[in-house]
Amino acid sequence: MASTVKQMLEAANAAVPKITPQQAQELIAKGNTLVVDVRDAPEVEKSGKVAGAVHVSRGMLEFRADPDSPSHDKNFAKDKNVILYCASGGRAALAGKVLKDMGYGHVYNIGGFKDWADAGGAVEK
């Protein structure tokens, strides 16, 4: 049966907890946390990214997250907390669901980059 984007987002939001920028900062402070920006490169170049975040566009996420992929990014580890964000939260939710499906246990969505920046989160250009 075919799914709509709305249905996919509902499933993703049900599987991936949404956390506040403050909660994200607390997780980051504890260590063993990977922050992933899943926006496209032009978006990141325009606004910057969360300080310390790894930029992996949504289309490359699975390849970077899979340890058996030749494109694997060693920052990804299934024992880490993974915090995702995009421009408004939709791509981050979908990306989080994919990571959960791939066996990542602690995956969170902080929504949009603007939410982080407006909350006073550290940003790097």
Side-chain angles (χ1 to χ4, degrees):
M1 177 183 281
S3 294
T4 66
V5 170
K6 182 181 177 191
Q7 291 168 324
M8 290 188 292
L9 281 169
E10 286 172 356
N13 285 321
V16 181
K18 180 107 186 248
I19 61 173
T20 66
Q22 177 62 33
Q23 290 170 311
Q25 289 174 344
E26 291 169 9
L27 277 174
I28 293 165
K30 290 179 183 176
N32 200 38
T33 299
L34 173 64
V35 181
V36 184
D37 186 326
V38 297
R39 296 176 297 160
D40 292 334
E43 293 173 280
V44 177
E45 290 166 14
K46 182 177 178 183
S47 65
K49 62 180 181 153
V50 170
V54 172
H55 173 242
V56 178
S57 64
R58 174 66 194 91
M60 288 300 296
L61 183 69
E62 294 89 322
F63 300 99
R64 299 284 191 251
D66 185 345
D68 295 329
S69 168
S71 300
H72 179 249
D73 182 328
K74 290 180 172 57
N75 289 300
F76 283 85
K78 293 181 181 177
D79 66 338
K80 288 185 177 182
N81 293 310
V82 181
I83 299 172
L84 299 147
Y85 70 92
C86 59
S88 64
R91 287 176 287 177
L94 294 171
K97 173 84 167 56
V98 165
L99 290 179
K100 293 278 244 181
D101 291 348
M102 293 177 75
Y104 285 79
H106 306 285
V107 182
Y108 306 94
N109 178 0
I110 58 171
F113 175 76
K114 186 176 182 328
D115 300 325
W116 174 266
D118 288 351
V123 173
E124 65 186 44
K125 291 279 183 175

